[in-house]
Amino acid sequence: MNPPETHPLVLWVGVIAAVLAVVAVIVAKTKEIAAPIAVWLSSIEERRIERQARIEAAARILNDARVDTLSVQVRGLAGQLDEALREIVSLRAELHAERSARERLAELEAENAVLRTRVNGFGGV
């Protein structure tokens, strides 16, 4: 019979124990190396959400600036339109006054012509 340390079962148990010890060391080292990688991978979604929030905040700021600029431009255009409307109303009033004056002038010229005809008719009698 073989001595106990050379028995095949004892040898296999020793090999299995050595393999398990090596695997345990590898697993421990792998966990040690993989921990920061796992933390980094788990924070990818968080970083994506933060980036999206920054982009949306910048877009809101830019949009607010555009709205402010457009509001100023619209107020300026409204002022110009108000001034143009006042000018149009003024010009219409002037045109109406001029037309009325021309109509009155035409009436007076017609009346003048009638009166001249009458005066000439009296002078020739």
Side-chain angles (χ1 to χ4, degrees):
M1 177 144 199
N2 292 338
E5 60 273 354
T6 61
H7 192 277
L9 187 59
V10 172
L11 289 176
W12 279 110
V13 169
V15 169
I16 291 173
V19 168
L20 288 177
V22 169
V23 168
V25 169
I26 290 173
V27 167
K29 288 293 182 183
T30 303
K31 283 184 180 179
E32 185 181 310
I33 292 171
I37 294 172
V39 169
W40 181 80
L41 288 175
S42 67
S43 68
I44 286 177
E45 182 67 14
E46 181 181 327
R47 289 192 311 270
R48 187 191 67 76
I49 291 170
E50 289 173 353
R51 181 177 179 270
Q52 184 67 31
R54 285 192 307 272
I55 290 170
E56 288 173 1
R60 279 191 300 274
I61 290 169
L62 180 60
N63 191 40
D64 290 346
R66 287 179 181 162
V67 166
D68 290 343
T69 301
L70 289 174
S71 296
V72 168
Q73 290 175 349
V74 167
R75 281 193 295 275
L77 288 174
Q80 290 176 353
L81 289 174
D82 287 343
E83 181 60 33
L85 180 60
R86 282 191 290 275
E87 187 176 341
I88 288 171
V89 168
S90 173
L91 290 173
R92 275 188 173 174
E94 288 177 22
L95 181 61
H96 180 68
E98 186 177 321
R99 282 183 183 164
S100 295
R102 284 186 185 187
E103 288 172 2
R104 181 69 181 138
L105 180 61
E107 290 172 2
L108 290 175
E109 285 176 347
E111 187 177 329
N112 188 21
V114 168
L115 291 175
R116 281 185 186 207
T117 305
R118 283 186 190 167
V119 167
N120 287 339
F122 288 130
V125 177

